[in-house]
Amino acid sequence: MRLKRNGSYTLNRKSKGKPNGKKPAPEEKKLYLEPEYTKSRITDFEFKELVMLPREIDLNEWLASNTTTFFHHINLQYSTISEFCTGESCQTMAVCNTQYYWYDERGKKIKCTAPQYVDFVMSSVQKLVTDEDVFPTKYGKEFPNSFESLVKKICKYLFHVLAHIYSSHFKETLALELHGHLNTLYTHFILFIREFNLVDPKETTIMDDLTEVLCTSSGSSSNGSGNGSSGSSSGNSAAAQNHVKER
């Protein structure tokens, strides 16, 4: 079964002490962890059920449909704060104290600003999801053997973008009253990548504090590990099947 791929949401280390003996600067308080904000969602739906593979759907079709949808929503979410994410305000692609670098097609490491990094991510993902040889939409067209590895790479980069929004632009998101949308998107995305082991847990550790708060109450185990099995279709619900029909 070919799934229509489009969106379904409505957008309404501590530093070491210096030799001079001065104490290190206190770690900045993470606003996005404040209970009054983490409780905000645009839906109370059980996302753990929503990400499970429906019995009648091919695994690659499910990965393709969801990955494409997440790409569009994360791109849209970033666009709401993009005017605040500039080369001056975000001189590196950073999340907390971790800095990310882009690697070009030859594997060359590129240090870039956050907006440049996000542009690289969105441009490369857009190219992949619109390539019929990679994300086929026509009946009978096969997915490439490298499909799952490409999905994993896409999800890793999309996670970086989401984490950067929280780390560097949550105040702007809050001012726009879009934190409920961001929390909902993050929860759905994290539970999806856990369900199919799409991103190395070491990669997402940097946001474990937020994940613990948002995802534990959304059907995820508290130790941060999903079942990682594509054979979870035996637990399909009518809700998950309805989700397929909406795409």
Short mmCIF file of all heavy atoms in Angstrom, two decimals, residues 44-87:
data_model
loop_
_atom_site.label_atom_id
_atom_site.label_comp_id
_atom_site.label_asym_id
_atom_site.label_seq_id
_atom_site.Cartn_x
_atom_site.Cartn_y
_atom_site.Cartn_z
N ASP A 44 -3.55 15.26 23.64
CA ASP A 44 -3.19 14.30 24.68
C ASP A 44 -3.17 12.88 24.13
O ASP A 44 -3.24 11.91 24.87
CB ASP A 44 -4.20 14.38 25.85
CG ASP A 44 -4.09 15.69 26.60
OD1 ASP A 44 -2.97 16.21 26.71
OD2 ASP A 44 -5.13 16.19 27.06
N PHE A 45 -3.05 12.77 22.81
CA PHE A 45 -3.10 11.45 22.18
C PHE A 45 -1.94 10.57 22.64
O PHE A 45 -0.86 11.06 22.95
CB PHE A 45 -3.07 11.60 20.66
CG PHE A 45 -3.41 10.33 19.94
CD1 PHE A 45 -4.74 9.97 19.77
CD2 PHE A 45 -2.42 9.49 19.46
CE1 PHE A 45 -5.06 8.78 19.12
CE2 PHE A 45 -2.74 8.31 18.82
CZ PHE A 45 -4.06 7.95 18.65
N GLU A 46 -2.16 9.26 22.67
CA GLU A 46 -1.14 8.28 23.06
C GLU A 46 -0.21 8.04 21.88
O GLU A 46 -0.48 7.23 21.00
CB GLU A 46 -1.82 6.97 23.49
CG GLU A 46 -0.87 5.93 24.03
CD GLU A 46 -0.16 6.40 25.27
OE1 GLU A 46 -0.79 6.53 26.33
OE2 GLU A 46 1.07 6.63 25.17
N PHE A 47 0.90 8.77 21.84
CA PHE A 47 1.81 8.68 20.70
C PHE A 47 2.51 7.33 20.59
O PHE A 47 2.95 6.94 19.51
CB PHE A 47 2.85 9.80 20.75
CG PHE A 47 2.31 11.13 20.32
CD1 PHE A 47 2.08 12.14 21.22
CD2 PHE A 47 2.01 11.36 18.98
CE1 PHE A 47 1.56 13.36 20.83
CE2 PHE A 47 1.49 12.57 18.56
CZ PHE A 47 1.26 13.58 19.48
N LYS A 48 2.63 6.62 21.70
CA LYS A 48 3.26 5.30 21.63
C LYS A 48 2.47 4.39 20.70
O LYS A 48 3.05 3.57 19.96
CB LYS A 48 3.31 4.69 23.05
CG LYS A 48 4.08 3.38 23.13
CD LYS A 48 5.54 3.56 22.76
CE LYS A 48 6.29 2.25 22.91
NZ LYS A 48 7.68 2.38 22.45
N GLU A 49 1.17 4.52 20.70
CA GLU A 49 0.33 3.73 19.80
C GLU A 49 0.43 4.26 18.37
O GLU A 49 0.40 3.49 17.41
CB GLU A 49 -1.13 3.77 20.27
CG GLU A 49 -1.38 3.14 21.63
CD GLU A 49 -2.85 3.23 22.03
OE1 GLU A 49 -3.68 3.60 21.16
OE2 GLU A 49 -3.16 2.95 23.19
N LEU A 50 0.55 5.56 18.25
CA LEU A 50 0.55 6.19 16.93
C LEU A 50 1.76 5.81 16.09
O LEU A 50 1.68 5.75 14.86
CB LEU A 50 0.49 7.71 17.10
CG LEU A 50 0.18 8.54 15.85
CD1 LEU A 50 -1.19 8.20 15.29
CD2 LEU A 50 0.26 10.02 16.20
N VAL A 51 2.90 5.54 16.74
CA VAL A 51 4.12 5.27 15.98
C VAL A 51 4.25 3.80 15.59
O VAL A 51 5.09 3.46 14.74
CB VAL A 51 5.38 5.68 16.78
CG1 VAL A 51 5.34 7.16 17.11
CG2 VAL A 51 5.54 4.86 18.06
N MET A 52 3.44 2.94 16.16
CA MET A 52 3.57 1.51 15.88
C MET A 52 3.20 1.17 14.44
O MET A 52 2.32 1.78 13.84
CB MET A 52 2.70 0.72 16.86
CG MET A 52 3.18 0.78 18.30
SD MET A 52 1.99 0.12 19.47
CE MET A 52 1.94 -1.59 18.95
N LEU A 53 3.89 0.19 13.89
CA LEU A 53 3.67 -0.23 12.51
C LEU A 53 2.33 -0.94 12.36
O LEU A 53 2.10 -1.99 12.95
CB LEU A 53 4.79 -1.17 12.07
CG LEU A 53 4.71 -1.73 10.66
CD1 LEU A 53 4.90 -0.61 9.62
CD2 LEU A 53 5.75 -2.83 10.46
N PRO A 54 1.42 -0.38 11.56
CA PRO A 54 0.12 -1.04 11.32
C PRO A 54 0.33 -2.38 10.60
O PRO A 54 1.25 -2.52 9.80
CB PRO A 54 -0.63 -0.04 10.44
CG PRO A 54 0.02 1.27 10.74
CD PRO A 54 1.46 0.96 10.94
N ARG A 55 -0.51 -3.32 10.88
CA ARG A 55 -0.34 -4.68 10.37
C ARG A 55 -0.28 -4.75 8.85
O ARG A 55 0.47 -5.53 8.27
CB ARG A 55 -1.50 -5.56 10.89
CG ARG A 55 -1.37 -7.03 10.55
CD ARG A 55 -2.49 -7.86 11.16
NE ARG A 55 -2.44 -7.82 12.62
CZ ARG A 55 -3.33 -7.17 13.39
NH1 ARG A 55 -4.32 -6.50 12.82
NH2 ARG A 55 -3.22 -7.19 14.70
N GLU A 56 -1.07 -3.94 8.17
CA GLU A 56 -1.17 -4.06 6.71
C GLU A 56 -0.19 -3.17 5.95
O GLU A 56 -0.20 -3.13 4.72
CB GLU A 56 -2.60 -3.74 6.26
CG GLU A 56 -2.99 -2.26 6.32
CD GLU A 56 -3.38 -1.78 7.69
OE1 GLU A 56 -3.18 -2.53 8.67
OE2 GLU A 56 -3.90 -0.64 7.79
N ILE A 57 0.69 -2.47 6.67
CA ILE A 57 1.60 -1.53 6.02
C ILE A 57 3.04 -2.05 6.00
O ILE A 57 3.54 -2.58 6.99
CB ILE A 57 1.58 -0.15 6.75
CG1 ILE A 57 0.18 0.43 6.72
CG2 ILE A 57 2.57 0.81 6.11
CD1 ILE A 57 -0.35 0.73 5.34
N ASP A 58 3.69 -1.93 4.85
CA ASP A 58 5.09 -2.31 4.71
C ASP A 58 5.97 -1.40 5.57
O ASP A 58 5.71 -0.20 5.67
CB ASP A 58 5.49 -2.18 3.23
CG ASP A 58 6.98 -2.39 3.01
OD1 ASP A 58 7.44 -3.53 3.11
OD2 ASP A 58 7.68 -1.38 2.77
N LEU A 59 7.01 -1.95 6.18
CA LEU A 59 7.87 -1.18 7.08
C LEU A 59 8.48 0.03 6.38
O LEU A 59 8.46 1.15 6.91
CB LEU A 59 8.99 -2.06 7.64
CG LEU A 59 10.06 -1.34 8.47
CD1 LEU A 59 9.44 -0.64 9.68
CD2 LEU A 59 11.15 -2.32 8.90
N ASN A 60 9.02 -0.16 5.18
CA ASN A 60 9.64 0.96 4.48
C ASN A 60 8.64 2.06 4.14
O ASN A 60 8.96 3.24 4.17
CB ASN A 60 10.34 0.48 3.20
CG ASN A 60 11.66 -0.21 3.49
OD1 ASN A 60 12.25 -0.01 4.55
ND2 ASN A 60 12.12 -1.03 2.55
N GLU A 61 7.41 1.65 3.82
CA GLU A 61 6.36 2.63 3.55
C GLU A 61 6.08 3.46 4.80
O GLU A 61 5.91 4.68 4.73
CB GLU A 61 5.07 1.94 3.11
CG GLU A 61 5.01 1.59 1.64
CD GLU A 61 4.92 2.81 0.75
OE1 GLU A 61 4.62 3.91 1.25
OE2 GLU A 61 5.17 2.66 -0.45
N TRP A 62 6.04 2.79 5.94
CA TRP A 62 5.78 3.47 7.21
C TRP A 62 6.91 4.43 7.55
O TRP A 62 6.69 5.56 7.98
CB TRP A 62 5.58 2.43 8.29
CG TRP A 62 5.07 2.94 9.61
CD1 TRP A 62 5.70 2.85 10.81
CD2 TRP A 62 3.83 3.60 9.86
NE1 TRP A 62 4.94 3.42 11.81
CE2 TRP A 62 3.78 3.88 11.24
CE3 TRP A 62 2.76 3.98 9.06
CZ2 TRP A 62 2.69 4.53 11.84
CZ3 TRP A 62 1.68 4.62 9.65
CH2 TRP A 62 1.66 4.89 11.02
N LEU A 63 8.14 3.99 7.36
CA LEU A 63 9.30 4.85 7.63
C LEU A 63 9.30 6.04 6.68
O LEU A 63 9.56 7.18 7.09
CB LEU A 63 10.60 4.05 7.46
CG LEU A 63 10.86 2.92 8.46
CD1 LEU A 63 12.21 2.25 8.15
CD2 LEU A 63 10.84 3.44 9.89
N ALA A 64 8.99 5.80 5.42
CA ALA A 64 8.98 6.88 4.43
C ALA A 64 7.91 7.91 4.74
O ALA A 64 8.16 9.12 4.71
CB ALA A 64 8.76 6.30 3.03
N SER A 65 6.71 7.45 5.03
CA SER A 65 5.60 8.35 5.31
C SER A 65 5.87 9.22 6.53
O SER A 65 5.70 10.44 6.51
CB SER A 65 4.32 7.54 5.53
OG SER A 65 3.24 8.37 5.89
N ASN A 66 6.34 8.59 7.61
CA ASN A 66 6.59 9.33 8.84
C ASN A 66 7.80 10.25 8.73
O ASN A 66 7.78 11.38 9.21
CB ASN A 66 6.77 8.36 10.01
CG ASN A 66 5.45 7.83 10.53
OD1 ASN A 66 4.81 8.45 11.37
ND2 ASN A 66 5.02 6.68 10.02
N THR A 67 8.86 9.77 8.10
CA THR A 67 10.06 10.59 7.95
C THR A 67 9.77 11.85 7.14
O THR A 67 10.21 12.96 7.49
CB THR A 67 11.19 9.79 7.27
OG1 THR A 67 11.50 8.65 8.06
CG2 THR A 67 12.44 10.65 7.11
N THR A 68 9.02 11.69 6.06
CA THR A 68 8.65 12.84 5.24
C THR A 68 7.80 13.83 6.04
O THR A 68 8.00 15.05 5.96
CB THR A 68 7.86 12.38 4.00
OG1 THR A 68 8.64 11.43 3.26
CG2 THR A 68 7.53 13.56 3.09
N THR A 69 6.86 13.32 6.81
CA THR A 69 6.01 14.18 7.62
C THR A 69 6.81 14.93 8.67
O THR A 69 6.63 16.14 8.87
CB THR A 69 4.90 13.35 8.29
OG1 THR A 69 4.08 12.75 7.28
CG2 THR A 69 4.02 14.23 9.17
N PHE A 70 7.70 14.22 9.36
CA PHE A 70 8.53 14.88 10.37
C PHE A 70 9.42 15.95 9.74
O PHE A 70 9.61 17.02 10.33
CB PHE A 70 9.39 13.85 11.11
CG PHE A 70 8.64 13.07 12.14
CD1 PHE A 70 8.62 11.67 12.09
CD2 PHE A 70 7.93 13.71 13.15
CE1 PHE A 70 7.92 10.95 13.04
CE2 PHE A 70 7.22 12.98 14.10
CZ PHE A 70 7.22 11.60 14.04
N PHE A 71 9.94 15.68 8.58
CA PHE A 71 10.76 16.67 7.88
C PHE A 71 9.97 17.96 7.66
O PHE A 71 10.43 19.06 7.96
CB PHE A 71 11.25 16.11 6.55
CG PHE A 71 11.68 17.16 5.55
CD1 PHE A 71 12.73 18.03 5.83
CD2 PHE A 71 11.01 17.30 4.34
CE1 PHE A 71 13.11 19.01 4.91
CE2 PHE A 71 11.38 18.27 3.43
CZ PHE A 71 12.44 19.12 3.72
N HIS A 72 8.75 17.84 7.15
CA HIS A 72 7.93 19.02 6.87
C HIS A 72 7.59 19.78 8.15
O HIS A 72 7.64 21.02 8.19
CB HIS A 72 6.65 18.62 6.13
CG HIS A 72 6.88 18.20 4.71
ND1 HIS A 72 7.53 19.00 3.80
CD2 HIS A 72 6.54 17.06 4.05
CE1 HIS A 72 7.59 18.39 2.63
NE2 HIS A 72 7.00 17.21 2.75
N HIS A 73 7.25 19.06 9.21
CA HIS A 73 6.85 19.73 10.45
C HIS A 73 8.03 20.39 11.17
O HIS A 73 7.89 21.47 11.74
CB HIS A 73 6.14 18.75 11.37
CG HIS A 73 4.75 18.43 10.92
ND1 HIS A 73 3.81 19.40 10.65
CD2 HIS A 73 4.14 17.24 10.68
CE1 HIS A 73 2.68 18.81 10.26
NE2 HIS A 73 2.86 17.51 10.26
N ILE A 74 9.17 19.72 11.17
CA ILE A 74 10.35 20.30 11.81
C ILE A 74 10.84 21.50 11.03
O ILE A 74 11.24 22.52 11.60
CB ILE A 74 11.45 19.24 11.98
CG1 ILE A 74 10.98 18.17 12.98
CG2 ILE A 74 12.76 19.88 12.46
CD1 ILE A 74 11.90 16.97 13.10
N ASN A 75 10.77 21.42 9.71
CA ASN A 75 11.12 22.56 8.87
C ASN A 75 10.19 23.74 9.16
O ASN A 75 10.62 24.89 9.28
CB ASN A 75 11.03 22.15 7.40
CG ASN A 75 11.59 23.21 6.46
OD1 ASN A 75 12.43 24.01 6.85
ND2 ASN A 75 11.11 23.21 5.22
N LEU A 76 8.90 23.44 9.31
CA LEU A 76 7.91 24.47 9.60
C LEU A 76 8.14 25.07 10.99
O LEU A 76 8.08 26.29 11.18
CB LEU A 76 6.50 23.88 9.51
CG LEU A 76 5.32 24.83 9.78
CD1 LEU A 76 5.34 26.00 8.80
CD2 LEU A 76 4.00 24.07 9.68
N GLN A 77 8.43 24.21 11.96
CA GLN A 77 8.67 24.69 13.32
C GLN A 77 9.90 25.60 13.36
O GLN A 77 9.89 26.64 14.01
CB GLN A 77 8.88 23.50 14.26
CG GLN A 77 8.90 23.86 15.74
CD GLN A 77 7.52 24.13 16.33
OE1 GLN A 77 6.58 23.39 16.08
NE2 GLN A 77 7.40 25.19 17.12
N TYR A 78 10.94 25.21 12.66
CA TYR A 78 12.15 26.04 12.62
C TYR A 78 11.87 27.38 11.94
O TYR A 78 12.39 28.43 12.35
CB TYR A 78 13.29 25.32 11.89
CG TYR A 78 14.53 26.17 11.76
CD1 TYR A 78 15.40 26.36 12.83
CD2 TYR A 78 14.82 26.83 10.56
CE1 TYR A 78 16.52 27.17 12.72
CE2 TYR A 78 15.92 27.65 10.44
CZ TYR A 78 16.78 27.81 11.53
OH TYR A 78 17.89 28.63 11.41
N SER A 79 11.04 27.36 10.92
CA SER A 79 10.76 28.60 10.18
C SER A 79 10.11 29.66 11.07
O SER A 79 10.25 30.85 10.82
CB SER A 79 9.85 28.31 8.98
OG SER A 79 8.53 28.00 9.39
N THR A 80 9.44 29.23 12.14
CA THR A 80 8.78 30.20 13.02
C THR A 80 9.77 31.02 13.82
O THR A 80 9.45 32.13 14.26
CB THR A 80 7.81 29.50 14.00
OG1 THR A 80 8.55 28.65 14.89
CG2 THR A 80 6.77 28.69 13.24
N ILE A 81 11.00 30.48 14.00
CA ILE A 81 12.01 31.23 14.78
C ILE A 81 13.25 31.55 13.93
O ILE A 81 14.25 32.03 14.45
CB ILE A 81 12.43 30.46 16.04
CG1 ILE A 81 12.88 29.02 15.71
CG2 ILE A 81 11.28 30.41 17.03
CD1 ILE A 81 14.32 28.86 15.30
N SER A 82 13.19 31.27 12.64
CA SER A 82 14.37 31.43 11.78
C SER A 82 14.91 32.85 11.75
O SER A 82 16.12 33.05 11.61
CB SER A 82 14.04 30.97 10.36
OG SER A 82 12.98 31.72 9.80
N GLU A 83 14.05 33.86 11.91
CA GLU A 83 14.53 35.23 11.88
C GLU A 83 15.39 35.56 13.10
O GLU A 83 16.17 36.51 13.09
CB GLU A 83 13.36 36.21 11.79
CG GLU A 83 12.45 36.22 13.00
CD GLU A 83 11.32 37.24 12.86
OE1 GLU A 83 11.63 38.44 12.82
OE2 GLU A 83 10.15 36.81 12.78
N PHE A 84 15.27 34.74 14.16
CA PHE A 84 16.07 34.94 15.36
C PHE A 84 17.35 34.09 15.34
O PHE A 84 18.23 34.29 16.17
CB PHE A 84 15.26 34.58 16.62
CG PHE A 84 13.95 35.30 16.70
CD1 PHE A 84 12.76 34.63 16.44
CD2 PHE A 84 13.89 36.65 17.01
CE1 PHE A 84 11.53 35.29 16.52
CE2 PHE A 84 12.67 37.32 17.08
CZ PHE A 84 11.49 36.63 16.82
N CYS A 85 17.39 33.14 14.42
CA CYS A 85 18.55 32.26 14.30
C CYS A 85 19.43 32.79 13.16
O CYS A 85 19.22 32.46 11.99
CB CYS A 85 18.10 30.83 14.01
SG CYS A 85 19.43 29.60 14.00
N THR A 86 20.38 33.61 13.51
CA THR A 86 21.22 34.27 12.51
C THR A 86 22.69 33.90 12.71
O THR A 86 23.07 33.30 13.72
CB THR A 86 21.09 35.79 12.61
OG1 THR A 86 21.64 36.22 13.88
CG2 THR A 86 19.62 36.21 12.54
N GLY A 87 23.49 34.30 11.74
CA GLY A 87 24.92 34.06 11.84
C GLY A 87 25.56 34.77 13.01
O GLY A 87 26.60 34.35 13.52
#
